[in-house]
Amino acid sequence: MNAYDSLLQRSREIAIYNSAASLLSWDQETYMPPKAGAYRAEQLSQLAGLTHRLGTAPEVGDWIKACEDSLPATADAEETALREANVREWRRDYDRATKLPGRLVEEFARTTSLSRDAWAQARRESNFAAFAPWLEKILALTREQAECWGYSTCRYDALLEGYEPGARAADLTPVFADLQKQLSPLLPALEKITGAVDPARLDGEYPVDVQRALNQQIAEAIGFDFEAGRIDTTVHPFCTEMGPRDCRLTTRYDVRDFTSSLSGTMHEAGHGLYTQGLDAAHFGTPIGTYVSLGIHESQSRLWENQVGRSRAFWAHWYPRAKEVFPSLKALPLEEFWLLVNRVKPSHIRVEADEATYNLHIILRFEIEQKLVAGDLSVNDLPAAWNARFQQIFGLSVPDDARGCLQDTHWALGLIGYFPTYTLGNLNSAQLYAAAVRHEPAMVEELAGGNYGRLLAWMREKVHRHGRRYSPTELIERATGEPTRAIYFLDYLKGKYGL
Amino acid sequence: MNAYDSLLQRSREIAIYNSAASLLSWDQETYMPPKAGAYRAEQLSQLAGLTHRLGTAPEVGDWIKACEDSLPATADAEETALREANVREWRRDYDRATKLPGRLVEEFARTTSLSRDAWAQARRESNFAAFAPWLEKILALTREQAECWGYSTCRYDALLEGYEPGARAADLTPVFADLQKQLSPLLPALEKITGAVDPARLDGEYPVDVQRALNQQIAEAIGFDFEAGRIDTTVHPFCTEMGPRDCRLTTRYDVRDFTSSLSGTMHEAGHGLYTQGLDAAHFGTPIGTYVSLGIHESQSRLWENQVGRSRAFWAHWYPRAKEVFPSLKALPLEEFWLLVNRVKPSHIRVEADEATYNLHIILRFEIEQKLVAGDLSVNDLPAAWNARFQQIFGLSVPDDARGCLQDTHWALGLIGYFPTYTLGNLNSAQLYAAAVRHEPAMVEELAGGNYGRLLAWMREKVHRHGRRYSPTELIERATGEPTRAIYFLDYLKGKYGL
C-alpha cells in the first residue's frame, strides 16, 4: 500500500473508534443508567488513548512526510486537489496530536467524563464549591495541553486553534469589541419594539408529545433526513455524528413554551444539515469532516435565526402551530412574531435572544482568557462573573446556576470554544445575505415553506467541502469577503425596521 | 507486572471494547436510524477484529502458560481459588479463540450484522428466498468455525460448546427425547384444563404507557435495579450488559394483551437479575462473567414462570393490574390465571406456553443439527420445518414468518444456541424446588409480593460465582444433583393439579 492509502486506511480506522466513542457519549447524555457513569469514563478514556496512539504512531508521520515529498499522481485534477487538502489537514492534526503525551490525553478524557456528572449535580444544586475542584483540575490539564501545543503570543490561542483553525484572540478581540460597540446602542430600541407584547400571552399548555411531533415535522421540512438521524431529549441540547449516515440531535422541552424547544431543534437541525451535507464517501477523512466550530455554528444559527425567526417562516408555520396548540388561539401572528423575537437581557445564554446572545459570548471570552492565563483564580470566578455580568447586562446574578455554572462547556474541557458562537452568528448573516443575493428566487420560496434552494446553496458553498478550504477561505469563496460584523448588524436593523 | 496481572489487565481491556460493541448492537436494535446500518456493520466488525487480536496475541498464551506453571501465591485461599478459576477459563477462551483466523472473525461479524437487517425485512415480508443466501453464507462460516474449533463425534458439538460449556448433542438428545416422551401425554389434559376460559376474555385496551409503568413496577419489585439498568422497546426482546452497572432489557408491546409484554419483561428482568448479581469487582474477568446460556436461561425462566405465572404472584399483582386496566374489570382472578397459563400448541416460539415451548426447542435442535451436518439444504429448510412442525404440534405452518423465519438467532449466527433454552427450563424448576426446600419461609413471602429471599438464594448459589464452577458443577452444588427433567415435569403437574 502506498503512503496515501495507508493514511486513508488509518484515518478511517480511527474514525470508527471515534464514532463508537460518540455513541458512548450520546448514550451517556440520553439513556445511560446513573450508576454506569464510572465505567463509562473508563470506556471513553481507553478509546481516547487508543485513537491517540493510532493517530500519533511514528509511521503516520512517515506517511505524511512521504506524501508531502511526492503525492502519488491521479489522472483527475479534482481528485488530486482533494488529496492535497487531506495531506495538509493530516499534517495539521498530526503535529497537534503528537505534541500531547498519551498520559495527558487519557487523563483529560477520564477527568472530563467524570466532571460532567459533577457539574450536572453542582448546577442542579447551584453549588459552585462542589464543581470548583473539577474546574481547577480541568484548567490545569488544559494549560498543560496549551503548553504542549505552543503559541506565539498568548496561551489561549493554542486552545482556540483547536476549534477555529487560524483564529487568534488578538484578531477576535477588536472584532468583538466593535460588535459590542455597535450592538449595545441598538438594544434599548430592540427591547422597546419587541417588549410591546406581554410574554405571558405565550404562556400556555404545550404537551411534550405535540411539541415533539411539530419539531420533527419542521426539521423534516427544512431538509433533515430522519432516515439518517433522530432527535432525543437531554438537559443540554447537542448534535453529534456517529457515522456517515447517523446524525443525532437532542432538545429539551418546556411545557409552558413550545418556542424554546422548537428554536433549539432548528438550531441543532442546522448543525445536522451541515453534517448530513458532508460527503459520506469521504467520511473519516478531513475532506469528509466539518471545518470549524464557527462554520458549524453559522449553519445552526442560519436555520434557527435567519430562517426560523423570520416573518416569512412564521407566516407559513404559525397556522399549523395554532392547529395543534389551542393555547395560541387568541394570539395574532404579528404579536407572536414579536414574542419569538423578543430582545431582553437575561441570565441564561442558551435562552438568550439573538442580539444579546453575543454579549454572553463576549463575557465568556474575556473570562476564560483570564482563567487560562492564570489572571483569575477558580475561587474568584463567581464574583468576577457576577461583577462583569452586571456591567454588561445591567443585571445582578441571583445564583451560580444562572451564572458561571450554567454551561456544560468548561466541565467537558471545552475552553476556547465560546468565541466560535459569535463567529457563527456573524457568518450566518453574511452567508444568508450572499445566498439571497446570488439566488433572489429563494426569498419567495422560503415564504412558501420551501427550503430546498437555500439548503442546496449551503450544500454547494459550505457543506460539501469539508476541510478542503480553511474557514476564512470558505467564507471568502462563498460570500466574496472575509467575515465582517456589518451583515449581522444590518440583518438585525432590517428585521426590526431600524 | 506478573503474568496473572497482565492477563487481568488484558481481560479488562478487551471487556471495555466488547462493552462498546454491546452498546453499538443495543443501539442498532433500539434507536439507530435505518441508513446507519452499513456503517454500523463496519464498526462492529472492526471492534470484533481488535478484541480478537488482543485476546489471541502470543503473549496471552505465554502468560496463561506461566500461570499454569506457577500461579503467584496469595495469602487468601479464597482469592487463590478465584485466580485458579480465572486461569482455567482464560485457557479455555484462548484455545477456542486462537483456533479461528482473524479474517474469519471479522467476516462473521460483518456478515451477521448485515444479515440481521436482511432477516428483519424477510420476516416482515415472509420472504424466505430473500434470507436464504444470508443463511447459506452464515452456515458456511459457521461450519468453517466448527472445523477450526474441532470436535470428537459431531460438528454441532463444537458450536454447542460455545453456549453451554461441556454439553454434547449425544447427551442432550436422550434427555430431550425423554422430556418429549413424558411431556406429550400431559398436553391434552393441560390444554383442556386451561382451555376452560375463552382467551377473548383477556382481549382489551392496554395502553403502552400504562403497560410500561406496570412492567417497571414489577421488575423493580422482584429486585431489578433501574439505577443500573433500563427497559426499551425492540422487535425481539433481549437483555444485554455494557458495563458492571449497566444492564439493558428490552420488550415489545401488544395493546390488546398486556400479559405478553409483562411475561417478556419478567423473562428479561430474570436475565438482568443474574447480570446484576455478578460481582462488579470482577467485571471483565471470567469470575465476573455469566457461566452459560443454560444457566442464564434458568434465571429468566424462574422469574417468568415459576414466579410470574404462579397463583401466588397473581393473587398479589392482579388487583393492581385491575386498577390500571379497566378492561380486566369483569375477569375474575382464577380465570385470568388460567389464561396466563393457557397451554395450546401454536406457531411462535416466543409466545408459546411454558409446556409446549420445549417442543419448539426440540424441533430447532433437530433441524439445526441437520443444517450444520449438511444433511439438510437451506432451500429445503421451509419444507422440512413445516413437515416436522406438523408431526410434533399437529399444526400446519401458514407462512415462513410464522415458521422458519420467526427467530433472529440464525440471522445473528447463533447456531447451537437453542437447546440452552430447554436446559434453562429444566434448571429453573430444579433450582426453584431446591430454594423452597432449603428456605421454606420464602413460599409465604412470595405470596406477599416479597421476593428478597428467593433472589438472595439465587445470588448466593448461582449469580455471584460467575464462571468459577462449570454449569454442571454449579447446578450440583446448588441442588444436590445434576440436571433432571423430573422437577420440571413435577412442577407442571403440581401447578395444574395432575
Side-chain angles (χ1 to χ4, degrees):
Chain A
M1 205 166 5
N2 67 40
Y4 185 83
D5 288 340
S6 298
L7 284 168
L8 213 51
Q9 188 184 52
R10 178 64 58 92
S11 196
R12 289 184 166 142
E13 185 187 0
I14 292 171
I16 281 187
Y17 294 128
N18 281 335
S19 66
S22 293
L23 181 64
L24 287 161
S25 296
W26 171 86
D27 179 70
Q28 183 170 25
E29 300 290 334
T30 50
Y31 296 110
M32 188 189 78
K35 289 182 184 170
Y39 193 70
R40 186 55 50 94
E42 295 300 320
Q43 294 170 313
L44 287 167
S45 165
Q46 183 171 304
L47 278 166
L50 173 68
T51 54
H52 182 73
R53 283 195 304 278
L54 287 171
T56 58
E59 66 268 22
V60 175
D62 297 341
W63 294 329
I64 295 172
K65 183 72 174 54
C67 288
E68 286 166 342
D69 291 346
S70 98
L71 194 62
T74 69
D76 179 353
E78 171 71 5
E79 171 67 17
T80 302
L82 292 180
R83 287 177 172 222
E84 282 166 1
N86 267 342
V87 172
R88 182 194 71 221
E89 296 298 305
W90 278 325
R91 161 62 67 196
R92 180 181 176 279
D93 294 347
Y94 182 75
D95 284 352
R96 211 168 149 81
T98 48
K99 291 178 176 170
L100 295 188
R103 188 261 322 148
L104 182 56
V105 173
E106 295 200 22
E107 195 177 346
F108 190 80
R110 187 182 308 111
T111 303
T112 53
S113 175
L114 289 169
S115 77
R116 173 198 311 230
D117 290 342
W119 164 79
Q121 187 172 347
R123 189 174 84 149
R124 269 194 304 277
E125 298 165 359
S126 195
N127 179 1
F128 181 78
F131 178 57
W134 289 101
L135 183 55
E136 200 75 78
K137 191 162 181 195
I138 287 166
L139 273 168
L141 293 170
T142 298
R143 285 192 203 103
E144 203 182 331
Q145 288 179 330
E147 293 303 319
C148 292
W149 284 319
Y151 45 87
S152 36
T153 50
C154 78
R155 191 194 277 150
Y156 186 82
D157 284 346
L159 306 174
L160 191 52
E161 174 70 20
Y163 307 109
E164 197 67 20
R168 297 288 169 264
D171 298 329
L172 295 185
T173 302
V175 176
F176 285 15
D178 189 49
L179 174 66
Q180 189 179 0
K181 193 178 134 203
Q182 296 196 59
L183 182 58
S184 291
L186 295 177
L187 292 179
L190 300 186
E191 196 173 340
K192 181 149 183 289
I193 293 166
T194 61
V197 186
D198 181 359
R201 301 279 307 277
L202 193 54
D203 189 31
E205 297 286 342
Y206 305 97
V208 168
D209 283 357
V210 183
Q211 290 192 50
R212 188 180 289 123
L214 182 64
N215 289 349
Q216 174 136 355
Q217 192 187 1
I218 293 178
E220 242 164 33
I222 65 175
F224 186 79
D225 180 0
F226 279 93
E227 295 276 302
R230 49 179 293 119
I231 303 186
D232 293 275
T233 308
T234 53
V235 174
H236 189 87
F238 62 89
C239 166
T240 186
E241 184 184 25
M242 48 199 73
R245 290 177 185 86
D246 193 351
C247 175
R248 314 267 174 122
L249 318 178
T250 72
T251 189
R252 58 182 170 196
Y253 298 94
D254 176 350
V255 292
R256 315 290 306 166
D257 174 8
F258 80 101
T259 65
S260 132
S261 159
L262 179 57
S263 291
T265 300
M266 291 288 282
H267 180 94
E268 302 307 335
H271 283 306
L273 290 173
Y274 183 17
T275 301
Q276 292 187 335
L278 292 164
D279 190 338
H282 291 285
F283 184 83
T285 75
I287 291 302
T289 306
Y290 74 92
V291 66
S292 78
L293 292 183
I295 298 297
H296 228 314
E297 191 72 3
S298 76
Q299 299 305 294
S300 57
R301 285 305 198 173
L302 177 94
W303 294 97
E304 178 191 4
N305 292 334
Q306 274 75 25
V307 174
R309 292 187 202 279
S310 66
R311 273 201 175 77
F313 181 82
W314 284 110
H316 181 79
W317 286 102
Y318 194 57
R320 167 76 189 140
K322 284 185 107 152
E323 263 173 43
V324 298
F325 298 127
S327 294
L328 298 173
K329 204 174 166 191
L331 185 63
L333 171 61
E334 183 59 24
E335 295 179 28
F336 171 80
W337 181 81
L338 282 170
L339 288 175
V340 296
N341 281 286
R342 189 157 173 266
V343 173
K344 192 173 175 61
S346 64
H347 294 98
I348 304 294
R349 175 184 61 85
V350 294
E351 291 168 4
D353 58 81
E354 58 183 323
T356 62
Y357 187 94
N358 298 296
L359 302 178
H360 287 275
I361 299 308
I362 286 166
L363 168 72
R364 285 156 179 77
F365 179 51
E366 280 179 24
I367 285 188
E368 63 181 15
Q369 285 182 81
K370 288 183 187 161
L371 286 170
V372 169
D375 296 340
L376 174 65
S377 76
V378 166
N379 287 339
D380 293 338
L381 167 59
W385 177 291
N386 297 352
R388 194 70 181 107
F389 195 87
Q390 176 77 51
Q391 288 174 339
I392 296 178
F393 290 87
L395 293 172
S396 65
V397 176
D399 52 45
D400 293 332
R402 280 172 281 185
C404 64
L405 273 180
Q406 67 182 269
D407 296 306
T408 192
H409 297 65
W410 295 340
L412 299 180
L414 304 173
I415 298 173
Y417 183 125
F418 281 120
T420 65
Y421 287 124
T422 282
L423 274 176
N425 287 336
L426 303 185
N427 284 331
S428 69
Q430 185 160 330
L431 285 166
Y432 184 75
V436 168
R437 201 164 61 236
H438 290 167
E439 303 218 31
M442 79 173 59
V443 174
E444 199 167 324
E445 289 170 3
L446 291 172
N450 184 342
Y451 307 96
R453 192 186 296 263
L454 174 60
L455 178 58
W457 195 88
M458 293 297 158
R459 288 259 192 268
E460 171 64 23
K461 300 289 183 180
V462 179
H463 304 177
R464 72 185 179 91
H465 299 299
R467 292 167 64 182
R468 178 164 182 178
Y469 309 109
S470 76
T472 314
E473 268 179 289
L474 190 74
I475 290 295
E476 288 197 27
R477 289 176 62 97
T479 70
E481 55 191 327
T483 304
R484 298 169 62 200
I486 185 73
Y487 293 100
F488 178 72
L489 292 159
D490 280 355
Y491 153 73
L492 275 189
K493 289 181 200 160
K495 179 166 183 170
Y496 298 103
L498 294 179
Chain B
M1 204 165 6
N2 67 39
Y4 185 83
D5 288 340
S6 299
L7 285 168
L8 214 50
Q9 189 184 52
R10 179 62 59 91
S11 196
R12 287 182 169 142
E13 186 187 359
I14 292 171
I16 282 186
Y17 295 127
N18 281 335
S19 66
S22 294
L23 181 63
L24 288 161
S25 296
W26 172 85
D27 178 71
Q28 182 170 24
E29 300 292 333
T30 50
Y31 296 111
M32 188 189 79
K35 288 181 185 170
Y39 193 70
R40 184 57 50 95
E42 296 300 322
Q43 293 169 313
L44 288 167
S45 165
Q46 184 171 303
L47 278 166
L50 173 68
T51 54
H52 181 73
R53 282 195 304 279
L54 287 171
T56 58
E59 67 268 22
V60 175
D62 297 342
W63 293 329
I64 294 171
K65 182 75 173 53
C67 286
E68 286 167 342
D69 290 347
S70 95
L71 193 62
T74 70
D76 179 351
E78 171 72 5
E79 170 67 17
T80 302
L82 291 180
R83 288 178 172 221
E84 283 166 0
N86 267 341
V87 172
R88 181 195 71 222
E89 295 298 306
W90 279 324
R91 162 62 67 198
R92 181 183 174 278
D93 293 347
Y94 183 76
D95 284 351
R96 213 170 147 80
T98 48
K99 291 178 177 171
L100 295 188
R103 188 260 322 149
L104 180 57
V105 173
E106 296 199 21
E107 194 177 345
F108 189 79
R110 187 182 308 110
T111 303
T112 52
S113 175
L114 289 170
S115 77
R116 171 198 313 229
D117 291 342
W119 163 77
Q121 187 173 347
R123 188 175 84 149
R124 270 196 303 278
E125 298 164 358
S126 195
N127 179 359
F128 181 79
F131 179 57
W134 289 101
L135 184 55
E136 200 75 78
K137 188 160 183 198
I138 288 166
L139 273 169
L141 293 170
T142 298
R143 283 191 204 105
E144 203 182 333
Q145 288 179 331
E147 292 304 319
C148 293
W149 283 320
Y151 45 87
S152 33
T153 49
C154 77
R155 191 194 276 151
Y156 185 83
D157 284 345
L159 307 174
L160 191 52
E161 175 69 22
Y163 307 108
E164 197 66 20
R168 297 288 170 265
D171 297 330
L172 295 185
T173 303
V175 176
F176 285 15
D178 189 48
L179 175 66
Q180 189 180 1
K181 193 179 134 202
Q182 296 197 58
L183 182 58
S184 292
L186 295 177
L187 293 179
L190 300 186
E191 194 173 342
K192 180 149 185 287
I193 293 166
T194 62
V197 185
D198 181 0
R201 298 281 306 277
L202 194 52
D203 190 30
E205 296 287 342
Y206 304 98
V208 168
D209 283 356
V210 183
Q211 289 192 50
R212 189 181 287 123
L214 182 64
N215 288 350
Q216 175 134 354
Q217 192 187 2
I218 292 178
E220 240 163 35
I222 65 175
F224 186 79
D225 180 359
F226 279 94
E227 296 275 302
R230 50 178 292 120
I231 302 185
D232 293 274
T233 308
T234 53
V235 174
H236 189 88
F238 62 89
C239 166
T240 184
E241 185 183 24
M242 48 199 71
R245 288 175 186 88
D246 193 349
C247 175
R248 315 266 173 121
L249 318 179
T250 72
T251 189
R252 59 181 168 194
Y253 298 94
D254 176 349
V255 292
R256 315 289 306 165
D257 175 7
F258 80 101
T259 65
S260 132
S261 158
L262 178 57
S263 291
T265 299
M266 292 288 282
H267 179 95
E268 302 306 335
H271 284 305
L273 290 172
Y274 182 16
T275 301
Q276 293 187 335
L278 292 165
D279 190 338
H282 291 286
F283 183 83
T285 75
I287 291 303
T289 305
Y290 74 91
V291 66
S292 77
L293 292 182
I295 298 298
H296 229 312
E297 190 72 3
S298 77
Q299 299 304 295
S300 57
R301 285 305 198 172
L302 177 93
W303 295 97
E304 178 191 2
N305 292 334
Q306 273 75 24
V307 174
R309 294 188 201 278
S310 66
R311 273 200 174 78
F313 181 82
W314 284 109
H316 182 78
W317 286 104
Y318 194 56
R320 167 77 188 138
K322 284 185 106 150
E323 263 173 44
V324 298
F325 298 126
S327 294
L328 298 172
K329 205 174 166 192
L331 185 63
L333 172 60
E334 183 59 22
E335 294 180 27
F336 171 80
W337 180 81
L338 282 171
L339 287 176
V340 296
N341 282 285
R342 188 159 174 264
V343 173
K344 191 173 174 64
S346 64
H347 294 99
I348 304 293
R349 175 185 61 86
V350 294
E351 292 167 3
D353 59 80
E354 57 183 323
T356 62
Y357 186 94
N358 297 296
L359 302 178
H360 288 274
I361 298 308
I362 286 166
L363 169 71
R364 285 156 179 76
F365 179 51
E366 281 179 24
I367 285 190
E368 64 182 13
Q369 286 184 80
K370 287 183 189 161
L371 285 170
V372 169
D375 296 340
L376 173 65
S377 76
V378 167
N379 286 339
D380 293 338
L381 167 58
W385 178 289
N386 298 352
R388 193 71 182 107
F389 194 88
Q390 176 78 48
Q391 288 174 337
I392 297 177
F393 290 86
L395 293 173
S396 64
V397 176
D399 52 45
D400 293 333
R402 281 172 282 185
C404 62
L405 274 179
Q406 68 182 269
D407 296 306
T408 192
H409 298 64
W410 294 341
L412 299 179
L414 304 173
I415 299 173
Y417 183 124
F418 281 120
T420 66
Y421 288 124
T422 283
L423 274 176
N425 286 337
L426 304 185
N427 284 330
S428 69
Q430 186 159 331
L431 285 165
Y432 185 75
V436 168
R437 200 164 61 235
H438 290 166
E439 303 218 32
M442 80 174 56
V443 174
E444 201 167 321
E445 289 169 4
L446 291 172
N450 185 342
Y451 307 95
R453 190 185 300 263
L454 174 60
L455 178 58
W457 195 88
M458 292 297 159
R459 289 257 193 270
E460 171 65 22
K461 299 290 184 179
V462 180
H463 304 178
R464 73 185 179 91
H465 299 298
R467 292 167 64 182
R468 178 165 182 179
Y469 308 109
S470 75
T472 314
E473 268 179 288
L474 191 74
I475 290 296
E476 289 197 26
R477 289 176 63 96
T479 71
E481 55 191 327
T483 304
R484 297 171 61 201
I486 184 74
Y487 293 99
F488 178 73
L489 292 159
D490 280 356
Y491 153 74
L492 276 188
K493 289 181 201 162
K495 179 167 183 170
Y496 299 102
L498 295 177

